[in-house]
Amino acid sequence: MRRTVSTACSTFQATLRHVWASGSTYAEMTLFLGVTKDQLFRLRDKLALPLRLDRSKRKKPPRHRDPTPDEIAQRCAELKSRHLEDRRSEPPDRNYARPHDFIRFKLERARMLTDDPLEQLLDDFADQ
């Protein structure tokens, strides 16, 4: 619950003018002064305070134009060539295994780990 504030007091009006000019947000001002946002707007009109900066009309940086399809294709080609150069310059031990080699390794590893003799017999029969 907010405290009762006498807005007719010259001290309060001077404080309001100072806080208004400080660039604080409405929430900060209402909390500091102990008034509601509606009261703050009525006081603004009554005391003829200047309007605050409208954020929607603030100066925005210039927007760059969208790239053309030719520019996109050129940039893609540059990135692909740089990526290929980077991959080719990697040491041989950093080469990645092909996926099917990995799958074969997993199957062979799984076959080695089986404890069931019947399953092992079926696996050996399938290999032949």
Side-chain angles (χ1 to χ4, degrees):
M1 185 169 164
R2 297 188 182 275
R3 65 180 192 265
T4 306
V5 177
S6 172
T7 57
C9 176
S10 61
T11 308
F12 177 81
Q13 291 178 3
T15 305
L16 173 61
R17 289 179 195 280
H18 182 69
V19 171
W20 189 267
S22 71
S24 302
T25 63
Y26 287 125
E28 292 169 344
M29 286 190 281
T30 56
L31 189 65
F32 180 75
L33 296 171
V35 296
T36 65
K37 198 172 179 181
D38 291 335
Q39 288 173 321
L40 191 64
F41 292 144
R42 276 187 253 135
L43 287 168
R44 175 194 65 195
D45 296 338
K46 181 179 177 184
L47 300 175
L49 294 171
L51 293 177
R52 297 176 54 82
L53 178 64
D54 186 8
R55 294 194 64 180
S56 65
K57 294 180 182 173
R58 69 186 185 276
K59 181 174 169 67
K60 297 176 184 173
R63 185 184 157 108
H64 300 289
R65 64 173 178 77
D66 292 337
T68 63
D70 293 336
E71 291 172 339
I72 293 172
Q74 179 184 5
R75 183 71 177 136
C76 286
E78 290 172 8
L79 291 173
K80 284 180 184 178
S81 65
R82 190 171 66 206
H83 175 72
L84 285 173
E85 289 172 13
D86 291 346
R87 286 295 304 267
R88 288 183 181 133
S89 65
E90 288 180 352
D93 61 332
R94 292 248 352 235
N95 286 341
Y96 303 102
R98 292 188 179 107
H100 64 273
D101 292 341
F102 179 70
I103 292 170
R104 187 181 322 128
F105 172 76
K106 279 182 68 174
L107 291 175
E108 290 172 0
R109 181 90 175 128
R111 197 176 301 140
M112 288 187 288
L113 296 177
T114 57
D115 294 333
D116 188 12
L118 183 60
E119 192 173 321
Q120 184 68 37
L121 182 66
L122 289 173
D123 285 342
D124 291 341
F125 182 73
D127 288 339
Q128 295 174 355

